[in-house]
Amino acid sequence: MLSGDDALFSWDSFNLIGLLIGWIGQLVTGLDQAIITMKKGEISLFTLPPELSYGGTGTNCVPPNCGIRFEVELISWITVIDVCKDGGIIKKVMDKGEQIGPPSDLDEVLVKYQVRLNDGAIVATTPEGGVEFHVKD
């Protein structure tokens, strides 16, 4: 049971935010575990003990060893694929393609890309026409 010192997080105190489930340090562990139980459009109230929230350290607005409650609405999600099954290459499909199947080793491809840091800053981009190469190269 939560004490009177427990914190409540709801739509009154937050704007719409995007989360990456399992992204270490983005939110508390318990919320990752809770969100994966939800369905699109569902609104739930999750009560988390200190050990699955901010623990003994707390934060600027949550005291140490305090249970918290999150009111969460699951609006939508984008499926993320672990390409190598080791956490090394992560793929998020932003816009579905038209052709059936991926290119083969002998195919020539034309790509455009932007390289961004986690804070969103762009550090590299292809020329406007893109870059061509053979997949096997």
Side-chain angles (χ1 to χ4, degrees):
M1 185 128 198
L2 297 174
S3 71
D5 293 331
D6 296 322
L8 174 65
F9 293 93
S10 71
W11 299 122
D12 296 334
S13 59
F14 281 108
N15 293 322
L16 181 65
I17 56 174
L19 306 173
L20 293 172
I21 302 298
W23 192 264
I24 296 170
Q26 186 170 15
L27 270 183
V28 297
T29 304
L31 194 56
D32 278 354
Q33 295 172 20
I35 289 173
I36 63 172
T37 68
M38 297 179 70
K39 295 179 176 141
K40 184 176 180 179
E42 180 178 323
I43 299 173
S44 297
L45 180 64
F46 294 106
T47 303
L48 307 177
E51 60 272 14
L52 293 177
S53 57
Y54 296 104
T57 56
T59 68
N60 291 342
C61 60
V62 178
N65 299 311
C66 180
I68 58 175
R69 294 182 212 155
F70 278 93
E71 182 179 312
V72 178
E73 179 178 5
L74 182 57
I75 297 168
S76 67
W77 67 88
I78 297 172
T79 300
V80 176
I81 301 163
D82 183 348
V83 175
C84 298
K85 309 284 189 250
D86 64 0
I89 300 173
I90 305 299
K91 173 185 174 183
K92 182 177 2 177
V93 177
M94 306 301 288
D95 193 7
K96 289 187 179 182
E98 298 172 13
Q99 190 170 352
I100 298 173
S104 69
D105 287 349
L106 301 176
D107 289 343
E108 184 175 285
V109 296
L110 174 66
V111 298
K112 288 185 181 181
Y113 62 81
Q114 286 185 340
V115 180
R116 295 177 186 255
L117 300 178
N118 285 337
D119 67 4
I122 298 172
V123 295
T125 187
T126 54
E128 189 169 321
V131 176
E132 267 186 32
F133 61 94
H134 288 90
V135 175
K136 192 155 185 137
D137 293 344

